[in-house]
Amino acid sequence: MSPPRVAVPLALLLTLAALTAAQQRFPGSCPRPPIVQKFQVRRYLGHWFEYARYFTVFQRGLRCSRAEYSDAGEGRIGVVNRAIRIADGSTTEARGQAVPVGRPGEASLRVSFDGQPSRGTEANYNVLETDYKRYAIVWSCTDRGVGEQKNLENEQLLFVLTRARVPSQRLLRRIMRRLQRLGLNTEKLIKTDQENCSKLDKIIAGKSRKAAILKLCSLKHH
């Protein structure tokens, strides 16, 4: 939870907009795992930590990746992906939005980020499974090649998102079993470094306090 600069996550994040970027490759055409139906968007909103993901170029050199989803109105979801750069310890942030592109009630979304035009209209953020309270499995896939070579190879994004920064081993075992049942490769998962993230935590806490104050002031004026 993804995208070119940060993890939800989306981009995380989710950071799922740049599907032309180098991602984890697999032989053959894209699999077709089931996508969550009757998706409860409001229950999905809030903060998610990135527990693990497939390799993506746009997330190299990042740690403490996390995503925040909010109601952006008119059926859109606001996306904020944050992380810390390993090289210098600075924080990075990418903002965008997700819009539903699948069938009504299906958790198929198209994520795009500010200043980075989204190429294409197909879903690049599919929620394959979530209990809303503890974990979410986010995935997308693109067939690569042209002509007769079209389905010889595919590129996939996979993010395991959790509400807790350090999820229980019991929950992780369940997630791994679910990934295997979905037919997804678990050996290619890269665990996200979520240690020593206090710098990012303080920034997020400060933004939350500011938002709360602004909301309170707005209510007083009404």
Side-chain angles (χ1 to χ4, degrees):
M1 94 234 66
S2 28
R5 293 195 301 271
V6 205
V8 127
L10 104 135
L12 165 14
L13 128 217
L14 67 255
T15 44
L16 299 171
L19 289 177
T20 55
Q23 302 159 5
Q24 184 62 57
R25 297 196 174 195
F26 295 94
S29 58
C30 286
R32 296 288 183 267
I35 299 169
V36 169
Q37 304 297 314
K38 298 181 180 179
F39 185 47
Q40 301 178 50
V41 175
R42 289 194 175 277
R43 293 184 64 193
Y44 194 75
L45 302 180
H47 290 275
W48 290 95
F49 295 97
E50 180 188 279
Y51 175 77
R53 60 173 173 78
Y54 280 166
F55 167 81
T56 55
V57 163
F58 56 74
Q59 282 191 277
R60 281 195 305 189
L62 298 179
R63 63 183 188 85
C64 300
S65 301
R66 58 191 293 176
E68 180 182 0
Y69 303 127
S70 61
D71 184 357
E74 300 180 351
R76 298 169 300 167
I77 298 174
V79 179
V80 182
N81 289 337
R82 298 183 176 96
I84 294 177
R85 294 187 180 94
I86 295 173
D88 60 7
S90 63
T91 60
T92 179
E93 176 180 293
R95 292 178 175 268
Q97 63 179 240
V99 296
V101 294
R103 293 174 294 182
E106 185 174 67
S108 291
L109 307 169
R110 181 77 189 178
V111 179
S112 58
F113 285 80
D114 298 347
Q116 299 170 358
S118 178
R119 299 177 179 86
T121 59
E122 296 183 354
N124 58 8
Y125 187 109
N126 300 293
V127 183
L128 303 187
E129 185 165 315
T130 183
D131 66 355
Y132 301 98
K133 298 181 295 183
R134 297 179 298 168
Y135 76 99
I137 297 172
V138 178
W139 174 89
S140 71
C141 183
T142 304
D143 286 317
R144 290 303 179 198
V146 294
E148 295 181 356
Q149 308 297 315
K150 177 68 175 175
N151 297 320
L152 293 181
E153 192 174 47
N154 68 80
E155 290 185 345
Q156 297 183 34
L157 289 173
L158 176 61
F159 295 92
V160 175
L161 307 180
T162 56
R163 293 292 194 185
R165 172 171 277 134
V166 183
S168 69
Q169 289 301 309
R170 181 178 180 181
L171 176 60
L172 292 175
R173 287 193 295 269
R174 173 179 176 174
I175 293 171
M176 291 304 115
R177 288 196 299 268
R178 294 304 301 153
L179 288 170
Q180 291 166 357
R181 289 175 185 172
L182 289 167
L184 301 178
N185 188 311
T186 57
E187 295 181 358
K188 298 295 185 180
L189 281 170
I190 302 170
K191 188 176 181 297
T192 302
D193 181 2
Q194 290 288 354
E195 296 184 359
N196 301 314
C197 303
S198 59
K199 182 177 182 179
L200 192 59
D201 294 339
K202 291 177 182 177
I203 291 174
I204 294 172
K207 290 178 181 292
S208 297
R209 284 194 296 270
K210 183 177 180 180
I213 292 171
L214 290 174
K215 183 177 181 179
L216 181 60
C217 291
S218 176
L219 291 173
K220 286 182 177 180
H221 282 90
H222 285 81

